[in-house]
Amino acid sequence: DAKTTQPTSMDCAEGRAANLPCNHSTISGNEYVYWYRQIHSQGPQYIIHGLKNNETNEMASLIITEDRKSSTLILPHATLRDTAVYYCIVRVAGTQGGSEKLVFGKGTKLTVNP
Amino acid sequence: DGGITQSPKYLFRKEGQNVTLSCEQNLNHDAMYWYRQDPGQGLRLIYYSQIVNDFQKGDIAEGYSVSREKKESFPLTVTSAQKNPTAFYLCASRMADTQYFGPGTRLTVL
C-alpha cells in the first residue's frame, strides 16, 4: 500500500470548515483513499473513501486531485465532537491482491476550538 | 441496533492468566479482524477471519488465539505466552471494501 503524509496537527474554529490534507504521491491506479478518525480511547470510525471522483456523505466530503497524488477531507461545519485524530489510508480495495490489514500512520490531530 | 460490540470496555488480569476478549457483530459481515493498538502507535493486525471456521494469522499472532464458530462472533484469547499483553484491542468487521471497528477493550495485565 502506498505511503501517506499528513500534518501532525491542525486547529479549527467551531462552525468553520475543517480541511485536512493528505499527500499520497506514490498511489497506484487501483488504490483507494480511505479516511478514518479516532476519538481518544474509542475505536476508529470510518468516514469516507474514494478512488478518483470526489465523494460526499453525511459526515464529510473527499476531494481527490486529478493526478490522485493528494486529497483533502472536508468537514463542512466542525463541532467540538469532531476533535480527533484523522487518518488517511491508501490501499487496494478488499482482497484484490492487497493486504487484509489497515495500516494507520500517525494521522492529523484536529482540535476544534469553541 | 446494528453494530460491533466488544466487551468488557476495561479488563484487568494478573500476569500468567489467559483472558478472552469478546467481539460480536450483527451486521452479517463475513470478514472479521483483531488489531492491537499501543500508546502513540498505529494498529497491528493479530488475526483475521474471512469466513466461519477459517482464520489467518496477522503480523503479531504469537501469544494469541482465536475461534470463528459463528458468523457473528470472533473471540480473541490472550494467553500467558504473550510477552506484553497490556494494550488497546480493537475488533473490526468488513463489508465490501470497508472495515468497521468496535469500541475496543483496554486490557491491563498487572
Side-chain angles (χ1 to χ4, degrees):
Chain A
D1 296 332
K3 187 174 178 179
T4 62
T5 305
Q6 299 178 253
T8 303
S9 63
M10 293 182 65
D11 284 274
C12 177
E14 189 177 18
R16 298 283 193 172
N19 298 291
L20 292 92
C22 179
N23 287 321
H24 31 79
S25 57
T26 61
I27 191 170
S28 301
N30 62 347
E31 288 183 312
Y32 285 70
V33 180
Y34 284 78
W35 283 85
Y36 284 80
R37 72 181 183 184
Q38 188 171 24
I39 296 168
H40 184 62
S41 294
Q42 296 184 23
Q45 179 186 22
Y46 165 77
I47 301 173
I48 199 167
H49 76 283
L51 183 62
K52 59 175 82 172
N53 297 322
N54 297 339
E55 302 286 345
T56 295
N57 63 20
E58 64 279 4
M59 287 184 67
S61 294
L62 174 61
I63 308 298
I64 303 174
T65 58
E66 194 168 339
D67 63 7
R68 302 210 322 123
K69 293 185 177 182
S70 65
S71 60
T72 301
L73 178 75
I74 302 172
L75 308 178
H77 305 286
T79 71
L80 299 180
R81 287 178 294 180
D82 292 322
T83 292
V85 179
Y86 287 76
Y87 298 97
C88 170
I89 300 164
V90 171
R91 66 187 301 269
V92 177
T95 55
Q96 299 165 21
S99 171
E100 282 282 340
K101 67 184 176 186
L102 287 179
V103 179
F104 282 59
K106 299 287 187 185
T108 296
K109 175 74 168 77
L110 174 69
T111 302
V112 180
N113 300 304
Chain B
D1 189 26
I4 303 169
T5 58
Q6 292 185 244
S7 61
K9 187 171 176 64
Y10 298 96
L11 189 56
F12 297 88
R13 280 293 182 269
K14 291 183 179 179
E15 195 171 336
Q17 289 182 333
N18 291 356
V19 59
T20 297
L21 280 60
S22 167
C23 178
E24 304 278 331
Q25 54 99 0
N26 60 3
L27 302 168
N28 201 35
H29 292 174
D30 285 315
M32 296 185 74
Y33 306 79
W34 274 106
Y35 291 89
R36 168 184 172 140
Q37 187 176 36
D38 293 281
Q41 303 292 318
L43 276 62
R44 290 186 287 169
L45 182 65
I46 304 172
Y47 267 99
Y48 65 97
S49 168
Q50 293 182 326
I51 199 167
V52 174
N53 292 322
D54 183 65
F55 48 82
Q56 308 293 329
K57 292 182 179 180
D59 297 326
I60 56 164
E62 185 175 351
Y64 299 98
S65 65
V66 293
S67 63
R68 187 84 187 280
E69 298 176 1
K70 298 186 299 182
K71 190 174 188 178
E72 305 79 25
S73 179
F74 191 39
L76 173 75
T77 297
V78 185
T79 75
S80 57
Q82 168 50 231
K83 296 286 185 277
N84 186 18
T86 294
F88 189 45
Y89 289 87
L90 290 158
C91 177
S93 65
R94 176 168 61 82
M95 176 182 134
D97 304 324
T98 302
Q99 292 187 24
Y100 299 90
F101 288 84
T105 292
R106 189 167 299 279
L107 173 65
T108 302
V109 176
L110 306 170

